[in-house]
Amino acid sequence: MTKARVNVYIDGFNLYHSTLQFAHPNNRWLNLIELSKRIINPKTEEINKVYYFSALTTWKPDKAKKHLLYIHALRAVGVKDVLGKFTLINRRCPLCKNHYKAHEEKKTDINIGITMLADGMADQFDTALILSGDSDLAPVITKLKIFSPAKKVGIIVPQNQSAMNLKQHADFFKKIQDKDLKKSLLPEQVTYNGNIIIAPIGWLPVPKVI
């Protein structure tokens, strides 16, 4: 029996802020290939591609360095990263009415949409899984259904999010489980392009002392 090809499109910041930053900080060294495999049905489906969409906080060099280490570790296991960027925007405080500048991440939802539509029209998957709770991605699902009506779209809902608007447009949805996160971690050391990458301190659970 031929298995259905599954592509996974992961909104990195959505996953981080909803699930990893506070609820699971020791699971940040997350193997997105392994997580994707735990979400699908291995009897009828197989992972074809896993994409990671994010951007580097270049004005915070230490944080950006750790993030880049993670991106290299993901590349080592076969994840395809698509990076956007942050731009400075003007904002106004609703309380004091003062104006200030803030960094806002750009292009992630656009990059997810373009990549998924291009893959669908090129027949690169049978099922697309979107790991995000961002309602801005709902029109992407609608467009894919127009251009490639035979393709299925599922929503992988990050913890602490409902993704209600996305779920209404998708064929099905699943919730990320604690056990899937804990069993989908990269090893502490990963080799990429001949270099050894070590997980940043605190990104993996502390081994239990017996």
Side-chain angles (χ1 to χ4, degrees), residues 99-189:
H99 292 270
Y100 65 97
K101 290 188 177 293
H103 289 91
E104 185 174 270
E105 192 270 335
K106 293 289 186 181
K107 293 189 177 181
T108 286
D109 52 352
I110 295 174
N111 284 337
I112 292 175
I114 291 173
T115 305
M116 192 174 81
L117 287 174
D119 283 351
M121 295 177 70
D123 191 28
Q124 292 294 304
F125 62 79
D126 300 301
T127 299
L129 297 180
I130 300 175
L131 198 164
S132 180
D134 188 348
S135 61
D136 289 342
L137 294 171
V140 177
I141 301 173
T142 301
K143 287 295 183 183
L144 180 65
K145 291 295 186 180
I146 294 173
F147 296 138
S148 304
K151 306 299 184 187
K152 293 183 179 180
V153 179
I155 303 302
I156 308 305
V157 184
Q159 293 180 344
N160 303 311
Q161 291 200 16
S162 64
M164 188 60 67
N165 194 25
L166 288 182
K167 289 190 290 188
Q168 291 174 350
H169 289 78
D171 294 295
F172 62 92
F173 68 91
K174 299 180 181 180
K175 192 82 173 179
I176 294 179
Q177 304 296 322
D178 287 357
K179 63 180 180 179
D180 293 333
L181 294 172
K182 294 175 181 178
K183 292 183 178 181
S184 302
L185 299 177
L186 291 159
E188 184 178 4
Q189 294 187 8

Side-chain angles (χ1 to χ4, degrees), residues 34-106:
E34 187 61 32
L35 179 64
S36 298
K37 289 179 178 179
R38 295 187 66 83
I39 290 171
I40 66 170
N41 182 348
K43 293 182 179 180
T44 59
E45 299 174 313
E46 62 182 4
I47 295 297
N48 182 45
K49 296 179 183 178
V50 176
Y51 293 92
Y52 174 72
F53 298 85
S54 192
L56 296 173
T57 55
T58 53
W59 70 99
K60 297 179 180 179
D62 185 60
K63 188 174 182 179
K65 182 180 179 180
K66 293 177 182 178
H67 192 180
L68 189 58
L69 285 177
Y70 179 56
I71 290 170
H72 286 170
L74 290 178
R75 290 176 184 173
V77 296
V79 175
K80 301 178 182 298
D81 58 276
V82 180
L83 301 182
K85 64 179 182 179
F86 283 90
T87 58
L88 276 174
I89 62 170
N90 292 312
R91 286 184 175 172
R92 187 185 185 192
C93 175
L95 298 177
C96 67
K97 309 303 181 185
N98 288 331
H99 292 270
Y100 65 97
K101 290 188 177 293
H103 289 91
E104 185 174 270
E105 192 270 335
K106 293 289 186 181

Side-chain angles (χ1 to χ4, degrees), residues 7-32:
N7 279 9
V8 187
Y9 303 84
I10 298 172
D11 184 336
F13 279 116
N14 199 277
L15 173 63
Y16 175 76
H17 290 300
S18 66
T19 304
L20 300 176
Q21 184 177 19
F22 299 115
H24 295 277
N26 293 330
N27 295 151
R28 284 175 288 176
W29 201 237
L30 190 60
N31 186 334
L32 300 179

